[in-house]
Amino acid sequence: MKLKIAKLPGDGIGPEVVEQAVKAVDAVCRRFGHEATYSFGYVGAVAIDHCGDPYPDETHAICMDSDAVLFGAVGDPRFDNDPTAKVRPEQGLLAIRKKLGLFANLRPVETFKSLVGKSPLKTELVDGADFLCVRELTGGMYFGDRGRKDGGDTAFDTCIYSRFEIERILSLAFDYAMRRRRHLTVVDKANILETSRLWRQIAREMAPKYPEVEVDYMYVDNAAMQLIRCPKAFDVIVTENTFGDILTDEASCISGSMGLLASASVGAHTSLFEPIHGSYPQAAGKNIANPVAAILSAAMMFEYSFGLMEEGAAIRKAVSASIDKGIVTEDLAAGGKAYSTSEVGDWIAAAIES
Ligand code: IPM
Ligand code: MG
């Protein structure tokens, strides 16, 4: 198969980890007889430096013309503490989500047997945890009206959702629940927020269409607690944009390192695959960042965008082997030998081919 891939490494450690994902993709292609071609696009702070726009039109054209997007990270400390900055790297990510219509963000949380001890949670709580967060990605406060008034001393952000937006994300979440253990948890704040009440109302309307799916409704504050109290109780979680942003960072610590979790953003146009960690500027250029999340994002790309399940499984198997054998970066080394980003990438690529 010919795979046309847009490569958007972005900022910070993005380029280093995406390079390792590319090695894994190329190894899969050699082993299974596919042909991958890559088109590079600027995004984030590097795109602002390049042309003043965090998601330039030329990058959008490349994404629209590709079968999948491999994304690194965006963010740069130069912008973080400057409330007057007119453009920010993060706007590039919001723009790509909106323009590609990526309304769903799928963040699977899995544990690796040999790493359960790395989790800040007790081993017996996390061992075997396996759930999928489905985060709505193009609505809510991220995209609602915002601004200042009273001469700048009052600020507002609006959380807004339409029936259409809620139905499409819920139906995707119900579908995933059907393919998994048939348990869906709808997370909201329906005791306070009107948008949450609409989510709950629509979920209740839709539930009879999926009689095999057991549906729970949980307030987000409680969900934040249950996630670390009893992560194994979850199968599929669906929630709005902001809640999903927060809960998925929290969930990432279950598996032991943020550097392990991959994600797929899917919707109307080309799907995008990205590690859930950020640009980690302190580590940029040091060849120490964990490339596993980016490499597992490439596995999700094979499975989701190309329907190549065996290829995705080959990547997952190589990643598990690297972790079991201790071929890991410093975040997971715990006193043992820490390998560099590129060494881990090379090892995994070789394992895919062998
Ligand atoms: C994420 C990130 C982004 C978000 C930022 C970088 C805009 O935190 O993908 O979770 O808030 O959605
Ligand atoms: Mg986030």
Side-chain angles (χ1 to χ4, degrees):
M1 191 186 268
K2 283 197 173 13
L3 323 172
K4 224 169 146 185
I5 298 169
K7 190 172 84 172
L8 276 54
D11 304 322
I13 59 170
E16 297 157 59
V17 297
V18 168
E19 197 185 310
Q20 312 315 314
V22 166
K23 285 179 192 168
V25 172
D26 288 340
V28 166
C29 288
R30 284 192 295 273
R31 174 166 158 198
F32 292 88
H34 303 300
E35 191 195 322
T37 54
Y38 304 92
S39 307
F40 169 89
Y42 286 104
V43 70
V46 288
I48 296 174
D49 292 340
H50 173 68
C51 67
D53 181 347
Y55 184 50
D57 289 344
E58 62 186 61
T59 302
H60 182 57
I62 289 169
C63 292
M64 290 296 284
D65 189 44
S66 301
D67 302 317
V69 180
L70 273 184
F71 193 94
V74 293
D76 188 307
R78 281 182 293 153
F79 299 87
D80 288 345
N81 295 316
D82 177 8
T84 64
K86 288 267 174 298
V87 283
R88 294 172 183 282
E90 289 79 4
Q91 288 164 345
L93 189 52
L94 299 192
I96 192 169
R97 288 172 181 168
K98 201 64 171 182
K99 286 192 173 176
L100 293 178
L102 305 173
F103 65 84
N105 185 222
L106 311 172
R107 295 186 169 180
V109 176
E110 297 148 332
T111 48
F112 294 88
K113 268 266 177 265
S114 54
L115 289 182
V116 284
K118 296 280 185 307
S119 171
L121 304 182
K122 289 201 191 87
T123 301
E124 65 267 27
L125 285 183
V126 297
D127 190 13
D130 173 12
F131 58 92
L132 173 70
C133 295
V134 179
R135 168 187 174 194
E136 201 290 329
L137 204 57
T138 51
M141 259 201 292
Y142 274 64
F143 292 94
D145 264 358
R146 73 178 96 249
R148 297 277 182 109
K149 48 190 188 182
D150 302 336
D153 287 337
T154 301
F156 62 94
D157 298 275
T158 317
C159 185
I160 178 163
Y161 271 106
S162 68
R163 169 174 284 274
F164 168 73
E165 291 172 309
I166 299 168
E167 276 176 359
R168 70 178 174 182
I169 189 78
L170 286 177
S171 75
L172 191 131
F174 272 110
D175 287 344
Y176 271 97
M178 283 299 289
R179 286 191 243 161
R180 294 177 51 102
R181 300 191 303 276
R182 304 187 174 183
H183 178 200
L184 179 65
T185 306
V186 180
V187 172
D188 62 29
K189 188 73 185 170
N191 49 347
I192 301 292
L193 302 177
E194 199 55 39
T195 40
S196 286
R197 287 193 272 271
L198 182 59
W199 272 71
R200 215 176 253 224
Q201 174 193 328
I202 294 174
R204 288 222 161 90
E205 288 167 19
M206 291 173 75
K209 279 193 272 169
Y210 305 86
E212 287 150 84
V213 178
E214 180 198 338
V215 187
D216 287 339
Y217 299 89
M218 202 180 270
Y219 297 143
V220 63
D221 46 351
N222 184 26
M225 177 176 72
Q226 299 303 338
L227 262 182
I228 50 170
R229 209 183 67 90
C230 190
K232 280 186 262 190
F234 294 97
D235 178 21
V236 178
I237 295 172
V238 63
T239 192
E240 66 90 46
N241 205 344
T242 306
F243 296 160
D245 178 47
I246 297 166
L247 291 180
T248 51
D249 262 33
E250 186 192 6
S252 74
C253 72
I254 292 168
S255 53
S257 170
M258 260 200 132
L260 295 171
L261 291 196
S263 83
S265 299
V266 306
H269 303 291
T270 320
S271 301
L272 177 149
F273 301 86
E274 87 182 285
I276 92 145
H277 59 68
S279 58
Y280 191 13
Q282 303 84 343
K286 292 191 182 151
N287 204 18
I288 57 170
N290 191 341
V292 163
I295 294 172
L296 288 175
S297 299
M300 290 187 87
M301 174 188 81
F302 277 106
E303 294 157 353
Y304 196 98
S305 284
F306 302 108
L308 298 171
M309 309 315 271
E310 222 186 306
E311 284 79 344
I315 296 181
R316 292 178 192 284
K317 194 167 159 228
V319 165
S320 295
S322 75
I323 290 170
D324 289 345
K325 294 206 155 55
I327 316 294
V328 293
T329 43
E330 64 174 27
D331 52 316
L332 297 174
K337 175 169 163 49
Y339 289 79
S340 69
T341 308
S342 52
E343 283 170 336
V344 173
D346 288 338
W347 196 95
I348 291 172
I352 290 168
E353 279 199 89
S354 68

